[in-house]
Amino acid sequence: KNIQKITQSMKMVAAAKFSRSERHLRSARGYGEGAADFFEKCEVKTPTGTDDADGRQKSLAILMSSDRGLCGGIHSSICKAFKADLAEASANTDTQLVIIGDKARLILHRTFKDKFYMSYNSIGRLPPTFVDASYI
């Protein structure tokens, strides 16, 4: 009986958090639609002169994971995919990392610390603002 009460209260807390997140998502949806329209209409070209002083081509990888949680399979899959992409890249490519979320950062910290360009955490905890977006 006590376990049922605990389970019920956990369901209520989860429902409240879900509805709050859904409310924030609805208010931010317009920004996403505007960004999608922008990227559909813009033409992306590879800039010339993207090589560094050693003649190596520059590349940027952006990995997104969460700060906490029990979704270890997702985080390890993201990191494995990055490692596979890095192995496929030519030796003449200098890849830098932008990591959003602590889980991917913790997984890749030991082996790829020299490739870290930026790292962010606590993204999405509060409703997004322009200041948050300007940091990224």
Side-chain angles (χ1 to χ4, degrees):
K1 196 146 185 135
N2 286 338
I3 293 174
Q4 289 176 346
K5 288 181 181 179
I6 293 170
T7 304
Q8 184 63 29
S9 63
M10 289 175 68
K11 285 181 182 179
M12 290 173 54
V13 169
K17 285 184 178 182
F18 182 78
S19 65
R20 185 180 67 217
S21 296
E22 195 173 44
R23 197 172 50 246
H24 292 288
L25 180 64
R26 264 188 257 129
S27 66
R29 184 160 284 148
Y31 295 113
E33 291 169 355
D37 290 343
F38 170 76
F39 286 115
E40 283 178 9
K41 294 177 183 169
C42 74
E43 294 181 21
V44 178
K45 296 179 183 177
T46 305
T48 57
T50 57
D51 298 343
D52 62 6
D54 297 334
R56 298 173 67 185
Q57 186 177 14
K58 294 181 181 180
S59 176
L60 181 69
I62 302 172
L63 304 180
M64 295 185 74
S65 68
S66 67
D67 293 330
R68 58 188 176 146
L70 299 174
C71 299
I74 294 171
H75 308 301
S76 60
S77 296
I78 290 169
C79 295
K80 283 179 187 176
F82 166 71
K83 290 175 185 178
D85 287 346
L86 192 62
E88 287 180 13
S90 68
N92 198 29
T93 303
D94 179 30
T95 302
Q96 296 291 310
L97 276 170
V98 173
I99 298 180
I100 301 172
D102 281 336
K103 292 293 187 172
R105 183 182 58 81
L106 292 172
I107 293 171
L108 297 172
H109 185 268
R110 188 168 21 121
T111 53
F112 297 105
K113 185 177 182 179
D114 59 323
K115 298 194 175 294
F116 281 23
Y117 183 69
M118 291 181 193
S119 179
Y120 298 98
N121 61 1
S122 299
I123 302 293
R125 239 172 241 244
L126 298 174
T129 63
F130 179 77
V131 175
D132 295 335
S134 68
Y135 289 139
I136 295 173

